[in-house]
Structures are given as structure tokens and as C-alpha cells.
Amino acid sequence: MTTISSSGVTSREEVLLHSYFTYLANFSQDRAREVVEREKEVCRCGPINPWGQLLGALVQLAGAEKQYLALSFLQPRSSVFLRKEQSLKTMYQNIHHDCKQVMETESGKWVG
């Protein structure tokens, strides 16, 4: 699906990314995650596909942003017996790594 805008042609991917980041900017992390998960279902691209990898990273980013805004990373751990959750810093590092991997995969295809 391609739409025409005043600046030219806009791809479905660009529309999705615009919606995603608009939701994140408006503190609607759940809605941003839903947009990406819907796209993952529609495109049915596997984890090997760079677009699928990027969508996975965007889902993780929405979760990390939600946790960051809730400031839950500042709360002390209440019990030793609870499952240890991944630290926020580690989440962001994993997202960064995933995005770097997508860029390296696509490095030969970048025009710009």
C-alpha cells in the first residue's frame, strides 16, 4: 500500500513508523505496541527478515518506554523469590543491538 503525500510517495512502512512514533511521543506505549504487532501479523515476516527484526525491536522499545515512564526501575526489589526482571538499561542495550543488527544486514541496501 502506498499513499501520496505533498512531498511525494509514502510507503506503508513509513506510515507505520510515523504512527508508532506519534503514539510514543504522546505517551501511548500500548497503542504503539499494538500498531507494530498488527503489522507483524499482517506481514508475517520472520525474525530473519530485517523488517521483522525491526518490528520486534519496536515492540521492545514500547515496553521499555512504558517501564521508564512508570519509573518502576527506581522501586526497590520487594522479594528475593520473585522472578528477576531485566534491568531497563539492559533492555535498551538489547534494543540498540537489535537495531545495529538490522542496519548491518541492510548496509548494502541503504541509499542515502
Side-chain angles (χ1 to χ4, degrees):
M1 178 178 121
T2 305
T3 59
I4 305 293
S5 67
S6 61
S7 61
V9 177
T10 305
S11 69
R12 185 180 93 225
E13 290 85 2
E14 289 174 319
V15 171
L16 176 114
L17 291 173
H18 182 268
S19 297
Y20 174 82
F21 286 110
T22 299
Y23 285 127
L24 276 187
N26 291 316
F27 309 109
S28 298
Q29 294 84 13
D30 291 332
R31 191 79 177 112
R33 188 188 76 248
E34 289 171 11
V35 167
V36 173
E37 287 177 342
R38 204 173 317 125
E39 172 66 17
K40 283 175 74 172
E41 290 174 8
V42 169
C43 99
R44 299 209 186 274
C45 42
I48 296 173
N49 182 318
W51 179 241
Q53 288 177 320
L54 182 60
L55 292 175
L58 293 176
V59 169
Q60 291 177 30
L61 179 61
E65 288 292 297
K66 184 175 182 176
Q67 184 178 346
Y68 176 79
L69 289 172
L71 300 176
S72 62
F73 63 94
L74 294 176
Q75 297 173 352
R77 307 258 187 237
S78 60
S79 174
V80 180
F81 299 109
L82 293 177
R83 179 183 67 145
K84 184 173 180 179
E85 291 187 23
Q86 202 175 25
S87 75
L88 189 59
K89 180 179 178 181
T90 304
M91 288 174 72
Y92 281 119
Q93 288 173 336
N94 289 341
I95 294 165
H96 179 254
H97 179 266
D98 292 348
C99 290
K100 276 180 64 174
Q101 222 173 8
V102 171
M103 288 179 59
E104 289 169 1
T105 302
E106 290 294 301
S107 64
K109 299 177 185 176
W110 287 98
V111 179

